């Protein structure tokens, strides 16, 4: 489409995909394409083409190129796009397309999608140094839109989440009212001080407990790159040894969860409640809030 309409500026989820941001791929269920436009959709436009209205779209240029046996994408500011395009090696250039800037892309996605689905985009954008919080915040102040949901995403976004699955788990923990955990906390095995184990999510409670939550993606058991070509039994044995080391490092509770449990929410929430993970809202097992008339809700 970019070759057919070179002046179009891709936006929203389409721009997020081109920037290789992480998010649940089910967001593409209707195969919509998003572009920036000074006005709404005109009659006769492709039904799956969605116009995100903005008077002046802040844009950048993506240059996909192949060199030294590797595929790479460069994000070029609009002010340098012409010079970069003319100076690039045509033989190595695969594609050139205009999109909204990473900051504007995050704002549009943050406004459109729920917190837990948009958070992986923010985490991956910050992790890959595509944009800063300040740039997103400055643009929020310029657009005439209620950006409160974007501000919430900016507040909680954390590039220490190493992948979209961890971001989804982290966002669900926050969305369910639990205290914000520490990320990628390092524990030292007292029996082997040179051995360090990094935990995905950690809470230190006021009563002295140390709670660890491990997010287990299925890839860690089947992907040769992550298993180092060891069998499943070897991987499970290593996980058991790891848990023993964490307990020696005074970890009192170890919880494991999976992608399916995170998406379903209830299994993850039950595990966190059973472990007495601190909450920032009323505990639904033991507490009830009252409405203005004094009735439980």
């Amino acid at each position: 489409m970019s070759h057919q309409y070179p002046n179009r500026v891709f936006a929203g989820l389409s721009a997020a995909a081109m920037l290789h941001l992480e998010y649940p791929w089910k967001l593409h269920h209707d195969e919509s394409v998003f572009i920036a436009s000074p006005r709404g959709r005109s009659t006769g436009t492709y039904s799956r083409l969605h116009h995100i209205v903005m008077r002046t779209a802040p844009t950048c240029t993506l240059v996909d190129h192949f060199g030294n046996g590797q595929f790479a994408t460069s994000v070029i500011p609009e002010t340098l796009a012409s010079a970069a395009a003319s100076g690039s090696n045509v033989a190595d250039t695969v594609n050139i397309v205009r999109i909204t800037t990473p900051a504007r892309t995050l704002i549009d996605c943050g406004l459109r999608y729920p917190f837990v689905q948009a958070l992986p985009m923010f985490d991956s954008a910050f992790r890959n140094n595509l944009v800063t919080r300040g740039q997103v915040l400055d643009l929020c102040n310029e657009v005439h839109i209620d950006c409160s949901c974007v501000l919430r995403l900016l507040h909680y976004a954390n590039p220490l989440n190493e992948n979209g699955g961890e971001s989804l788990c982290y966002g669900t923990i926050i969305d369910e009212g639990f205290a914000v955990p520490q990320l990628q906390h390092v524990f030292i095995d007292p029996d082997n001080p040179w051995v360090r184990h990094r935990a995905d999510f950690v809470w230190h409670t006021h009563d002295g407990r140390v709670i660890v939550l491990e997010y287990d993606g299925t890839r860690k058991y089947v992907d040769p790159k992550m298993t180092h070509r060891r069998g499943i039994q070897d991987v499970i044995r290593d996980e058991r040894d790891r848990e023993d080391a964490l307990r020696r490092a005074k970890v009192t509770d170890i919880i494991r969860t999976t992608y399916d449990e995170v998406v379903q929410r209830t299994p993850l929430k039950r595990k966190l409640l059973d472990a007495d993970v601190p909450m920032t809202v009323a505990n639904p097992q033991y507490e009830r809030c009252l409405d203005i008339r004094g009735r439980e809700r």
Side-chain angles (χ1 to χ4, degrees):
M1 186 179 288
S2 64
H3 293 292
Q4 188 176 0
Y5 303 99
N7 291 326
R8 279 185 173 170
V9 176
F10 292 89
L13 190 63
S14 299
M18 295 176 189
L19 287 167
H20 305 294
L21 301 185
E22 298 195 38
Y23 54 85
W25 278 98
K26 67 180 181 180
L27 298 184
H28 288 293
H29 70 281
D30 59 357
E31 299 181 350
S32 294
V33 176
F34 297 88
I35 63 172
S37 174
R39 53 188 176 276
R41 187 173 62 139
S42 58
T43 304
T45 304
Y46 173 57
S47 61
R48 291 176 179 170
L49 185 65
H50 293 268
H51 294 235
I52 299 179
V53 179
M54 54 187 86
R55 290 182 180 178
T56 304
T59 62
C60 62
T61 298
L62 285 186
V63 179
D64 295 327
H65 47 89
F66 188 83
N68 298 323
Q70 293 184 331
F71 182 83
T73 300
S74 300
V75 182
I76 302 172
E78 192 68 10
T79 53
L80 304 176
S82 297
S86 60
S88 62
N89 189 329
V90 177
D92 293 338
T93 300
V94 178
N95 189 41
I96 298 177
V97 61
R98 295 177 69 214
I99 66 169
T100 51
T101 60
R104 179 68 204 221
T105 299
L106 289 180
I107 290 174
D108 291 329
C109 290
L111 292 172
R112 185 178 184 89
Y113 302 108
F115 174 78
V116 295
Q117 294 179 340
L119 188 63
M121 301 184 196
F122 281 69
D123 287 348
S124 55
F126 295 147
R127 185 168 62 248
N128 295 326
N129 297 313
L130 294 176
V131 68
T132 66
R133 293 175 201 269
Q135 289 171 328
V136 179
L137 186 59
D138 288 344
L139 193 55
C140 282
N141 293 330
E142 295 177 14
V143 299
H144 301 288
I145 307 171
D146 179 8
C147 288
S148 54
C149 53
V150 178
L151 297 180
R152 185 184 183 216
L153 286 160
L154 284 176
H155 176 75
Y156 288 111
N158 194 324
L160 289 178
N161 284 306
E162 295 183 330
N163 53 62
E166 289 186 9
S167 293
L168 186 68
C169 184
Y170 173 71
T172 302
I173 291 168
I174 294 169
D175 221 27
E176 288 293 339
F178 292 94
V180 178
Q182 293 177 277
L183 304 183
Q184 311 304 336
H185 195 73
V186 176
F187 291 92
I188 300 173
D189 184 350
D191 288 354
N192 303 287
W194 57 88
V195 176
R196 285 165 165 72
H197 296 283
R198 194 167 60 178
D200 296 331
F201 308 102
V202 177
W203 292 269
H204 292 84
T205 67
H206 292 298
D207 59 359
R209 292 179 300 125
V210 181
I211 305 171
V212 164
L213 172 66
E214 298 278 55
Y215 174 81
D216 291 337
T218 55
R219 288 182 58 209
K220 72 186 296 182
Y221 299 106
V222 298
D223 187 341
K225 293 181 180 178
M226 299 188 72
T227 64
H228 302 291
R229 301 194 179 279
R230 294 170 298 158
I232 291 178
Q233 294 301 323
D234 292 333
V235 175
I236 293 176
R237 183 170 57 252
D238 288 348
E239 288 295 331
R240 190 181 301 116
D241 292 342
R242 170 188 166 86
E243 288 192 4
D244 290 342
L246 290 175
R247 294 192 186 282
R248 288 195 295 270
K250 306 304 180 183
V251 172
T252 53
D253 300 90
I254 300 174
I255 312 165
R256 292 195 173 276
T257 192
T258 63
Y259 172 81
D260 288 338
E261 290 180 343
V262 172
V263 172
Q264 295 170 21
R265 286 193 174 226
T266 300
L268 171 61
K269 185 175 181 179
R270 185 179 297 118
K271 286 183 175 181
L272 297 179
L273 288 172
D274 289 345
D276 286 332
V277 171
M279 301 193 71
T280 59
V281 298
N283 187 316
Q285 286 187 329
Y286 311 111
E287 304 174 60
R288 293 293 182 271
C289 296
L290 302 182
D291 63 18
I292 194 171
R293 296 183 179 179
R295 297 177 300 191
E296 290 186 5
R297 56 181 173 88

